[in-house]
Amino acid sequence: MSARYEELKGLKNLGQKYAYGDREVMLYAYGIGLGADPMDENELAFVNEGTFTPRPLKVVPTFASVAAWGSGPGEMNLNRVMVVDGERDITFHQPLPVAANITADSSVLEVYDKGKDKGVVISHQTVLKNEKGEKLATLVASRFARGDGGFGGPNLTQPDPHKIPSRAPDKTIDIVSRPDQALVYRLCGDRNPLHSDPEFARKAGFPRPILHGMCTYGITCRGVLQTYADYDASAFRQHVARFSSPVFPGETVTMDLWKDGNTISFEAKVKSRGVTVIKNGKTVLG
């Protein structure tokens, strides 16, 4: 086995400590677009704790993706310019509290070497735990390093993605993103200038800054929340999506959804440009 494969496969970082409060919870919810209508009580429950009649503040399930922002298995020494997000798969073990001290245990699951000049896909997971050591959420991420690969790793095949039903969607909804949405979402942790600096975006090949892929991921969670989950964050057991194209802030994201028992399949597109931005989406409710 190649030394580079063993180096990546062996990366592990346990006991990383983080803390968050209601401010971070509400900022994330606002960052994915909840609260645009200040009279919508369903959405206000995620972005406003200051109520005349007290009620619990709700936590968007995919807040788990930023609750321990910066955690990871360790330095992978990849060509960062050529690295893109491939997929997110979050399993929710219990509802996230409004405020918590948490630990994050991160490790590399597998390395899929596609060959020289074809890149490598690295799958890694982070397990979030509360102060009692109980699991809150398990996050699995796949990153595609287009500038790496060909170092002699084993010839492995990635698991097949979730299959979208062949029938017409059971529901289709439009979610409008704000022109300034990336500027808000970046305050949740991802300060990559690709999402905020027009000059940087142009040098990366885009006409203007793009929305974070993980913001689009959160938008799809919001779409399931408002349709089949009846705004019940505790109903989420899993949320999976593959990133296929970026969204520009201000665009309308159209979600197609299919319901089969407790499984919600979904895809998302930007009709104005004729592009699919999320593929092979799956939410499991329970």
Side-chain angles (χ1 to χ4, degrees), residues 110-128:
E110 194 51 86
V111 179
Y112 302 94
D113 187 354
K114 295 179 175 293
K116 186 174 176 57
D117 300 324
K118 295 182 180 179
V120 60
V121 175
I122 302 167
S123 175
H124 58 92
Q125 78 169 13
T126 297
V127 180
L128 304 183

Side-chain angles (χ1 to χ4, degrees), residues 159-183:
D160 292 332
H162 173 65
K163 188 175 182 180
I164 298 296
S166 57
R167 68 179 187 273
D170 299 321
K171 283 183 184 290
T172 297
I173 60 171
D174 289 331
I175 299 177
V176 180
S177 66
R178 299 188 307 273
D180 64 345
Q181 194 150 344
L183 296 177

Side-chain angles (χ1 to χ4, degrees), residues 122-192:
I122 302 167
S123 175
H124 58 92
Q125 78 169 13
T126 297
V127 180
L128 304 183
K129 298 178 182 178
N130 62 19
E131 289 185 286
K132 297 179 181 179
E134 300 168 333
K135 290 182 180 180
L136 295 171
T138 298
L139 294 69
V140 176
S142 293
R143 63 178 71 179
F144 181 29
R146 297 169 293 167
D148 295 86
F151 47 74
N155 186 18
L156 301 174
T157 302
Q158 290 178 257
D160 292 332
H162 173 65
K163 188 175 182 180
I164 298 296
S166 57
R167 68 179 187 273
D170 299 321
K171 283 183 184 290
T172 297
I173 60 171
D174 289 331
I175 299 177
V176 180
S177 66
R178 299 188 307 273
D180 64 345
Q181 194 150 344
L183 296 177
V184 175
Y185 185 84
R186 70 190 298 267
L187 302 180
C188 296
D190 188 348
R191 301 291 186 94
N192 186 337

Side-chain angles (χ1 to χ4, degrees), residues 37-56:
D37 179 355
M39 296 300 289
D40 186 332
E41 293 288 349
N42 287 317
E43 294 196 0
L44 281 173
F46 293 90
V47 295
N48 175 34
E49 88 297 353
T51 56
F52 185 80
T53 301
R55 56 151 171 74

Side-chain angles (χ1 to χ4, degrees), residues 192-274:
N192 186 337
L194 177 61
H195 310 293
S196 59
D197 180 15
E199 181 184 10
F200 189 96
R202 285 193 295 269
K203 289 185 180 299
F206 297 99
R208 55 194 173 100
I210 63 174
L211 194 62
H212 303 69
M214 290 306 295
C215 183
T216 306
Y217 178 78
I219 286 172
T220 62
C221 177
R222 175 185 164 196
V224 177
L225 264 175
Q226 72 183 61
T227 53
Y228 292 113
D230 194 28
Y231 288 97
D232 181 5
S234 69
F236 280 67
R237 299 292 176 265
Q238 185 183 25
H239 191 69
V240 186
R242 282 194 167 194
F243 307 109
S244 56
S245 190
V247 174
F248 291 102
E251 291 186 322
T252 297
V253 176
T254 299
M255 280 186 71
D256 291 330
L257 303 102
W258 295 260
K259 187 178 188 300
D260 294 286
N262 288 337
T263 299
I264 311 301
S265 303
F266 61 87
E267 288 195 336
K269 64 190 71 171
V270 174
K271 286 184 175 180
S272 62
R273 289 189 288 120

